[in-house]
């Protein structure tokens, strides 16, 4: 600008026929304006004079010629850029140096694009999909198998076991019985319905029973004490004709000597040692 009828607001010299700059409606000669108001350039440290374009970013200033990538020196004027450790970088250099690589496609996740994080790895949003149905997973619940991600419905359809009793998916834990999977809460005694997971049980006709129910329903009764003979834990029992005894109950009816492994005689419903039976 030039003026014929004003003076510099700072040095008071006439601006007639001279270039000047305005600031807050006051006119300044170029020299005064530059010394008073010109911002120092972040790159070359020289003042950005009033006849130069001042490019500003977050309170910092550059000459137009100095606004360039710190790595490849390409101009960043009117181009996208990133800042790392206060250095200006073009998107290509920033990506090469600092951007994450997609776990799925191994390509760079460009600055500004949406990035998905899962188990310490990064994905493009378009790569973070169910391996089976290819639908985006986003923030939906998912299950990982063999480094592949699945939405819950697809995982259940492809891999999950179904309980033999209720037919519903077993999502964790479970019990195997006769090569079939069961929920722990579904694996119950066929008699009293008590949960059997972690408990002793006895199989009968492919059904599990707790010891008490099996004893009541199926166990032979000892001819001496009349209690069930379960043979659990390797307990020994004696069988003769249609009667059974606990090993500790198979004694002479008169003298109570043990007859286990010994010869014996019968007298009506009693078993006797040879001595008592011959008396």
């Amino acid at each position: 600008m030039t003026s014929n009828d004003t003076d510099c607001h700072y040095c008071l010299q006439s601006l007639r026929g001279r270039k000047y700059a305005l600031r807050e409606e006051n006119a300044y000669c170029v020299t005064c304006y530059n010394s008073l108001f010109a911002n120092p350039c972040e790159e070359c440290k020289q003042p950005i004079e009033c006849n130069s374009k001042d490019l500003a970013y977050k309170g910092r200033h550059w000459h137009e010629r100095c606004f360039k990538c710190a790595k490849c020196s390409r101009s960043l004027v009117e181009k996208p850029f990133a800042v790392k450790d206060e250095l200006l970088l073009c998107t290509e250099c920033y990506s090469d140096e600092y951007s994450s690589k997609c776990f799925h496609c191994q390509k760079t996740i460009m600055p500004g694009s949406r990035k998905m994080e899962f188990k310490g790895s990064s994905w493009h949003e378009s790569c973070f999909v169910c391996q089976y149905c290819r639908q985006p997973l986003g923030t939906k619940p998912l299950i990982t198998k063999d480094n592949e991600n699945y939405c819950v419905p697809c995982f259940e359809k492809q891999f999950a076991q179904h309980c033999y009793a209720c037919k519903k998916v077993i999502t964790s834990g479970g019990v195997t019985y006769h090569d079939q999977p069961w929920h722990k809460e579904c694996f119950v005694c066929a008699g009293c319905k008590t949960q059997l997971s972690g408990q002793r049980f006895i199989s009968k006709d492919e059904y599990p029973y707790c010891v008490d129910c099996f004893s009541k329903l199926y166990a032979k009764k000892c001819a001496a004490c009349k209690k069930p003979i379960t043979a659990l834990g390797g307990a020994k029992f004696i069988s003769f004709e249609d009667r059974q005894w606990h090993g500790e109950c198979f004694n002479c009816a008169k003298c109570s000597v043990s007859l286990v492994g010994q010869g014996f005689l019968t007298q009506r419903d009693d078993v006797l040692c040879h001595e008592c039976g011959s008396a």
Side-chain angles (χ1 to χ4, degrees):
M1 280 183 188
T2 59
S3 175
N4 295 318
D5 54 1
T6 189
D7 297 333
C8 172
H9 183 71
Y10 186 74
C11 70
L12 303 180
Q13 292 186 18
S14 174
L15 298 176
R16 187 177 299 171
R18 299 171 60 189
K19 291 183 178 180
Y20 69 94
L22 290 174
R23 183 179 177 87
E24 296 177 356
E25 298 184 358
N26 294 317
Y28 295 85
C29 67
V30 172
T31 302
C32 289
Y33 183 90
N34 290 338
S35 64
L36 293 172
F37 306 115
N39 295 303
C41 175
E42 288 288 332
E43 177 66 18
C44 69
K45 310 305 180 185
Q46 298 299 312
I48 304 173
E49 299 175 342
C50 62
N51 59 351
S52 299
K53 184 179 288 188
D54 185 334
L55 300 180
Y57 175 74
K58 290 188 176 181
R60 302 161 69 200
H61 300 265
W62 289 263
H63 290 106
E64 185 175 16
R65 65 179 181 276
C66 296
F67 195 65
K68 57 189 178 182
C69 175
K71 184 173 177 62
C72 69
S73 298
R74 283 184 292 184
S75 174
L76 298 177
V77 177
E78 297 183 356
K79 292 181 181 179
F81 64 92
V83 178
K84 180 69 174 178
D85 300 329
E86 298 190 353
L87 296 177
L88 301 176
L89 297 167
C90 65
T91 54
E92 291 82 358
C93 289
Y94 182 88
S95 298
D96 290 342
E97 292 289 327
Y98 305 109
S99 289
S100 302
K101 297 293 190 297
C102 176
F103 183 84
H104 178 73
C105 71
Q106 296 302 309
K107 294 181 180 179
T108 298
I109 301 175
M110 298 297 289
S113 61
R114 191 172 183 186
K115 178 173 67 173
M116 310 303 295
E117 298 278 352
F118 180 64
K119 289 187 175 181
S121 297
S122 303
W123 278 263
H124 291 111
E125 185 178 21
S126 58
C127 292
F128 194 60
V129 298
C130 171
Q131 179 66 18
Y132 186 72
C133 69
R134 311 307 298 176
Q135 293 300 307
L137 290 170
T139 57
K140 297 177 184 176
L142 61 93
I143 300 173
T144 300
K145 179 179 174 62
D146 299 331
N147 288 328
E148 298 289 357
N149 300 319
Y150 298 85
C151 63
V152 174
C154 285
F155 182 86
E156 291 179 351
K157 186 186 300 181
Q158 292 294 108
F159 305 110
Q161 292 182 316
H162 291 75
C163 176
Y164 182 77
C166 70
K167 310 306 179 187
K168 294 181 180 179
V169 170
I170 300 174
T171 56
S172 63
V175 175
T176 299
Y177 173 67
H178 282 181
D179 296 326
Q180 297 292 345
W182 303 60
H183 288 115
K184 288 183 178 180
E185 59 271 22
C186 292
F187 188 62
V188 298
C189 172
C192 66
K193 306 306 179 185
T194 300
Q195 287 191 25
L196 295 177
S197 177
Q199 308 297 322
R200 293 193 304 173
F201 64 91
I202 303 172
S203 295
K204 173 69 174 176
D205 299 328
E206 296 189 358
Y207 291 99
Y209 292 86
C210 67
V211 174
D212 288 342
C213 285
F214 183 85
S215 298
K216 292 175 183 177
L217 295 172
Y218 301 109
K220 301 289 185 181
K221 302 296 190 295
C222 175
C225 70
K226 309 306 180 186
K227 294 180 180 179
I229 300 172
T230 62
L232 285 175
K236 294 181 179 180
F237 70 97
I238 312 299
S239 180
F240 176 70
E241 294 181 346
D242 59 348
R243 292 185 293 169
Q244 290 80 32
W245 291 261
H246 292 110
E248 62 271 20
C249 294
F250 193 57
N251 303 321
C252 174
K254 288 187 176 182
C255 70
S256 299
V257 68
S258 175
L259 299 176
V260 177
Q262 306 297 319
F264 62 90
L265 300 172
T266 60
Q267 189 177 83
R268 292 184 295 277
D269 291 336
D270 294 332
V271 289
L272 304 169
C273 65
H274 280 292
E275 185 175 344
C276 291
S278 301

